[in-house]
Amino acid sequence: MSPQAKGLLITTLGALLVVPDSLFVRIIEAEPLVIAFWRNMISGLGIFLGVLILQGTQPFRAVLGTGWHGAVYVVTLAVSGVLFVLAISLTSVANAVFIIAAMPIFAAIFSRIFLHERISPRMTVTIAAVIAGLAVIAYGSGETENASLLGDFVAMLVAASFAAGLTAARRVRQVSMVPAIPLAYVGSAVCLMFWVDVMDVPREQIWIVALHGAFIVGSATFLALGPRYITSAEVALLILLESVLAPLLVWFVLGENPGVWALIGGAVVIGALAVSNAVVLMRRKGA
């Protein structure tokens, strides 16, 4: 198997494993913060053990040596992990994943503000299209079942928070930030222990909670390995699979109709990002 084929396969598996994330949040009968605790704790410990077994403690020391840039990444990742569960609980899955998919737009804006990187004409057009799509989604929130503007806002905070973390991580791009994932997830889970009864989960759903965490571990692992073999544009295109398939899966399993406005707005957001990434990909292959 060629390196590119291997990268495409690995990244696709990572994207597919994260698709049921929203469904798990929906079907687990517990408070959102309890779900967030177990999601982050199980996946964080799983990734921690994987890194420790394969690479020892050196990667963790490298992350700790990145200073405040690494600290920003850890904190924003921890916050976005908790806010994701809250967003899924407060609004429709379609609204949440379509809005969170706009994360590259926030990353471009933050890079312009804090890293003084120029926003290309391609990205300017993409930003305008995504904003239009988000406006359509917000417009439909008042008419779509399970959707709410509050949940939409929380989903936007997820995108902005993670984008801020990625912007900080670019300052220390020579260091792999994969070991920061368990630091963020376990750290956020420990904080949640002081706010909720983490054992308030139906016994018959314990296996679902464990499976939820296992899916996140698998997804994080494959998505971390994919960029070793393929370009970031290819990775970004494949990650959009989650945004497309997650609402369809919840619709099929739970009958949660995303609503026409979410579908229209989501199509604009995903389409704009897909075209933008495809243009980058074609330019690199033509170079």
Side-chain angles (χ1 to χ4, degrees):
M1 184 181 294
S2 68
Q4 184 179 31
K6 184 184 296 184
L8 291 173
L9 176 60
I10 290 172
T11 307
T12 300
L13 287 173
L16 292 177
L17 284 174
V18 80
V19 168
D21 194 1
S22 304
L23 179 62
F24 279 120
V25 174
R26 275 282 192 265
I27 63 179
I28 295 174
E29 298 174 0
E31 293 294 324
L33 292 182
V34 174
I35 297 174
F37 168 84
W38 287 111
R39 175 186 183 272
N40 290 3
M41 179 62 80
I42 294 173
S43 59
L45 289 177
I47 298 169
F48 174 80
L49 290 175
V51 174
L52 190 64
I53 292 171
L54 295 175
Q55 298 181 296
T57 60
Q58 193 281 328
F60 297 103
R61 293 198 299 270
V63 169
L64 294 176
T66 57
W68 74 268
H69 294 100
V72 169
Y73 182 80
V74 170
V75 171
T76 53
L77 185 60
V79 170
S80 62
V82 175
L83 290 180
F84 171 79
V85 177
L86 291 176
I88 297 297
S89 302
L90 291 171
T91 192
S92 69
V93 169
N95 280 28
V97 298
F98 289 151
I99 292 171
I100 293 171
M103 184 269 296
I105 303 306
F106 287 97
I109 294 172
F110 290 155
S111 294
R112 178 70 182 95
I113 295 173
F114 298 106
L115 304 182
H116 307 293
E117 295 182 350
R118 175 177 166 269
I119 297 179
S120 66
R122 171 189 59 83
M123 185 55 70
T124 301
V125 174
T126 303
I127 291 173
V130 168
I131 290 174
L134 294 179
V136 172
I137 293 173
Y139 175 79
S141 289
E143 302 179 13
T144 304
E145 186 178 1
N146 295 324
S148 75
L149 287 175
L150 176 59
D152 293 351
F153 177 71
V154 174
M156 193 169 295
L157 289 179
V158 175
S161 177
F162 192 51
L166 291 178
T167 303
R170 292 190 62 186
R171 285 289 195 181
V172 287
R173 65 184 70 187
Q174 72 279 6
V175 177
S176 171
M177 299 306 289
V178 173
I181 298 174
L183 296 179
Y185 280 4
V186 174
S188 64
V190 170
C191 292
L192 288 175
M193 290 177 63
F194 297 97
W195 296 91
V196 294
D197 179 7
V198 299
M199 302 307 295
D200 188 20
V201 178
R203 289 187 179 182
E204 64 274 14
Q205 289 195 324
I206 292 177
W207 70 273
I208 301 179
V209 173
L211 188 63
H212 186 194
F215 266 75
I216 301 301
V217 171
S219 173
T221 301
F222 286 129
L223 291 178
L225 292 173
R228 294 185 178 184
Y229 305 99
I230 58 178
T231 65
S232 58
E234 290 173 306
V235 172
L237 278 174
L238 290 171
I239 290 177
L240 290 178
L241 282 173
E242 190 265 342
S243 301
V244 174
L245 296 178
L248 297 179
L249 178 63
V250 173
W251 193 0
F252 176 76
V253 176
L254 302 180
E256 182 180 295
N257 190 330
V260 65
W261 293 111
L263 292 177
I264 294 173
V268 173
V269 171
I270 301 303
L273 294 171
V275 170
S276 180
N277 289 324
V279 168
V280 172
L281 187 58
M282 288 187 292
R283 285 178 178 174
R284 289 181 178 177
K285 287 188 174 182

